[in-house]
Amino acid sequence: MSGFSRRTFLAVSAALTAAPVLGAVPAAGDVDIVIVGAGAAGIAAARRIAEAKRSFALLEAADRVGGRCVTDTKSFAVPFDRGAHWIHRPETNPLTKSPPTGFEIYAAPRSQSLRVPPRAAREGELEQYFSALVRSNRAVIDVSRGKAGDTSVRAALPRDLGEWQASVEFALGPYSTGKDLDRVSALDFARAGEREADALCRQGFGALLAKLAAGILVQLSTPVNELEWGNGLEARTPKGRIRARAAIVTVSTGVLASGDIAFSPALPKRQLDAVNALSLGSFDHIAFELPGNPLGLASDDVVFEKTTSSKTAAFVANIGGSRLCTIEVAGSFGRDLTKQGEAAMIAFANDWLGSVFGGSARKITRAVVTRWNDDPLARGAFSAASPGNADARRILFEPLRDRVFFAGEAVHDTLWGTVGGAWESGTRAAEAALKKMGVLRDEQPALPQRKRRRL
Ligand SMILES: Cc1cc2nc3c(=O)[nH]c(=O)nc-3n(C[C@H](O)[C@H](O)[C@H](O)COP(=O)(O)OP(=O)(O)OC[C@H]3O[C@@H](n4cnc5c(N)ncnc54)[C@H](O)[C@@H]3O)c2cc1C
């Protein structure tokens, strides 16, 4: 893994962990900037505003911070990340630049395993599978660079994937984007680029994010029901009204589309269309313990199967060397399954384990499942642009009347769908708002290095 060492991550930085309590106010009153939502984007925005020594109110509907990046420390003996788990691009990820004391970031294994049920894949089969994946990725990039315009990822795939078609479609579609490939823009997919050099946080990714929020005053259980942005700016909650010079809205595109926050005046059609084009995919975990490593898998191994069906899943084994494992269900199959509830999800997990690992699989008796589509504060997992709509993300970069700024995973061109992308977008939105307020200056163009020679 180039440029990424454990030492780098274990270095402790006072800068990131120092508590920026500055600037926050209670649930009513006047502030410079009101921030809606305390997930990765909201936390990053608050930290940036505090650093600039301006006042803010960070309003969160839930009774906890973290949004879609949250660690459950109660269900199992080890931390279970209910949302985000993998730290993508760790060498540049803003959350892992300098982890707080007590947090260990370690490199995830680079390899993935493949089953040809009920046995492990042979060397030749693995090569065929990875070559099909690489060819498919390349084909999508080629199509997205072509002159024909954007299309779906499925339409861009090579025509000769043959017996690997369904496995490739699952790995690139539901597993990577939460959606089936006919619903994903090839251009949006290609912009996301390589995300494989992953790392993990032993204490949980959500726990790390929550630690980075320590010291920031967050108004928990304070949903914003209404945002007035016509004459002045006011966020209305059941606890009071906050007047501000700017607002940073970090709720998911699912929440924005639901209308749970009444914008007054209503969101312009351009923004609404962008929000709808960036709808959330479905991705969930079925988590359980398998004592004694009966499947003989390595720590943090990710296992896929060769399949002809879309009713498939991925298996994450022995998380952090523990007995905790998860089965990941996603895309339209995952959405239908999670709708049926916990019992159906556990029944699927048992059938799938039995078929993929044969007799060595043990029955799961107790599992904890996530159902992000049913969470009214998320309404899905992460955004992926529909075909033809990759530029919708750029539309959300545009502020409304220079006072409402959107942020969150959907508002990042390349790191969409990730915690790192949400964090960066929160920082950017805070900087954009501070610039409009005259607190930060626009970057000056770089001065020429040398004087021009007279001709
Ligand atoms: C199952 C799953 C697996 C994932 N895996 C990974 C992974 O491995 N790696 C990775 O990098 N990313 C992963 N992601 C994506 C990642 O979790 C998100 O991209 C990121 O956490 C989004 O952060 P955000 O700040 O944009 O939004 P959110 O985390 O959704 O934050 C928005 C906040 O707004 C709050 N809110 C909603 N409505 C209101 C309201 N009316 N008023 C006030 N507050 C409100 C919400 O409660 C929430 O706290 C995964 C997501 C899921 C669901």
Side-chain angles (χ1 to χ4, degrees):
M1 198 172 286
S2 62
F4 161 47
S5 80
R6 204 174 140 214
R7 198 157 21 104
T8 319
F9 292 130
L10 291 176
V12 178
S13 149
L16 260 181
T17 51
V21 198
L22 298 164
V25 299
D30 287 10
V31 286
D32 288 315
I33 301 179
V34 63
I35 307 164
V36 187
I43 294 166
R47 290 175 61 110
R48 186 66 189 90
I49 297 163
E51 195 183 299
K53 301 196 169 24
R54 295 291 140 164
S55 62
F56 66 86
L58 176 51
L59 308 178
E60 168 56 54
D63 58 3
R64 60 165 182 84
V65 299
R68 286 170 277 168
C69 182
V70 57
T71 303
D72 168 354
T73 53
K74 297 204 174 110
S75 297
F76 301 100
V78 292
F80 161 45
D81 278 319
R82 295 183 64 87
H85 178 59
W86 305 96
I87 302 172
H88 299 298
R89 297 200 188 160
E91 65 284 5
T92 53
N93 196 304
L95 282 96
T96 48
K97 258 190 219 151
S98 22
T101 315
F103 284 79
E104 185 196 348
I105 313 293
Y106 65 97
R110 293 217 72 177
S111 61
Q112 293 175 346
S113 307
L114 180 72
R115 306 284 300 180
V116 179
R119 60 171 173 81
R122 302 193 175 101
E123 191 91 350
E125 290 164 329
L126 261 179
E127 269 171 31
Q128 287 174 22
Y129 172 61
F130 285 123
S131 133
L133 276 177
V134 171
R135 284 196 303 119
S136 300
N137 262 314
R138 257 191 227 137
V140 178
I141 291 169
D142 288 349
V143 165
S144 70
R145 284 184 187 149
K147 290 198 178 114
D150 194 14
T151 177
S152 75
V153 176
R154 181 173 287 150
L157 291 182
R159 296 277 166 258
D160 59 350
L161 292 173
E163 58 187 323
W164 298 103
Q165 180 90 25
S167 308
V168 166
E169 287 202 15
F170 173 73
L172 301 186
Y175 184 72
S176 302
T177 69
K179 289 186 180 175
D180 300 356
L181 287 181
D182 56 345
R183 297 191 52 216
V184 182
S185 147
L187 183 52
D188 198 38
F189 183 94
R191 281 185 186 148
E194 162 83 35
R195 287 183 184 173
E196 267 171 27
D198 289 328
L200 293 159
C201 177
R202 200 167 296 285
Q203 292 70 27
F205 201 176
L208 172 65
L209 180 60
K211 180 73 182 175
L212 295 174
I216 296 177
L217 183 59
V218 187
Q219 310 299 331
L220 295 175
S221 308
T222 309
V224 172
N225 302 324
E226 220 179 318
L227 193 70
E228 158 75 50
W229 59 283
N231 299 314
L233 196 120
E234 188 171 270
R236 297 174 188 149
T237 81
K239 295 183 183 170
R241 295 166 177 233
I242 300 263
R243 277 177 302 277
R245 294 167 68 191
I248 298 177
V249 179
T250 74
V251 300
S252 73
T253 51
V255 171
L256 279 174
S258 74
D260 284 354
I261 301 177
F263 284 79
S264 172
L267 279 184
K269 183 174 180 317
R270 180 175 166 77
Q271 271 71 21
L272 258 186
D273 287 349
V275 163
N276 289 322
L278 295 169
S279 64
L280 302 180
S282 180
F283 193 106
D284 280 289
H285 308 293
I286 303 168
F288 51 90
E289 292 182 317
L290 277 185
N293 193 13
L295 306 177
L297 297 166
S299 293
D300 302 304
D301 205 357
V302 184
V303 185
F304 294 89
E305 66 160 333
K306 182 180 183 189
T307 183
T308 51
S309 165
S310 59
K311 294 182 181 171
T312 184
F315 181 71
V316 184
N318 310 325
I319 293 174
S322 74
R323 53 174 68 171
L324 180 66
C325 304
T326 58
I327 289 182
E328 319 284 49
V329 290
S332 60
F333 165 65
R335 187 179 295 278
D336 292 345
L337 180 68
T338 56
K339 240 187 233 159
Q340 294 167 43
E342 181 172 324
M345 292 171 78
I346 296 174
F348 165 77
N350 272 321
D351 287 351
W352 190 76
L353 276 181
S355 110
V356 171
F357 291 94
S360 51
R362 210 178 277 170
K363 276 254 179 274
I364 303 164
T365 46
R366 181 182 164 264
V368 172
V369 306
T370 65
R371 295 169 70 204
W372 285 97
N373 303 322
D374 286 348
D375 179 340
L377 300 180
R379 296 182 181 269
F382 32 83
S383 66
S386 54
N389 285 307
D391 289 340
R393 300 191 192 279
R394 295 185 181 168
I395 293 173
L396 292 188
F397 289 169
E398 300 164 7
L400 300 177
R401 291 198 187 159
D402 283 348
R403 56 178 96 114
V404 179
F405 297 79
F406 293 100
E409 59 85 12
V411 196
H412 200 293
D413 237 11
T414 56
L415 293 175
W416 49 264
T418 71
V419 177
W423 182 282
E424 277 189 16
S425 88
T427 305
R428 272 189 222 158
E431 290 179 348
L434 291 165
K435 276 178 193 163
K436 290 286 176 208
M437 289 163 49
V439 176
L440 291 183
R441 286 226 208 108
D442 273 322
E443 296 280 290
Q444 297 298 320
L447 292 172
Q449 300 276 312
R450 276 185 242 141
K451 276 189 183 169
R452 274 211 189 135
R453 242 193 274 153
R454 267 172 210 233
L455 294 174

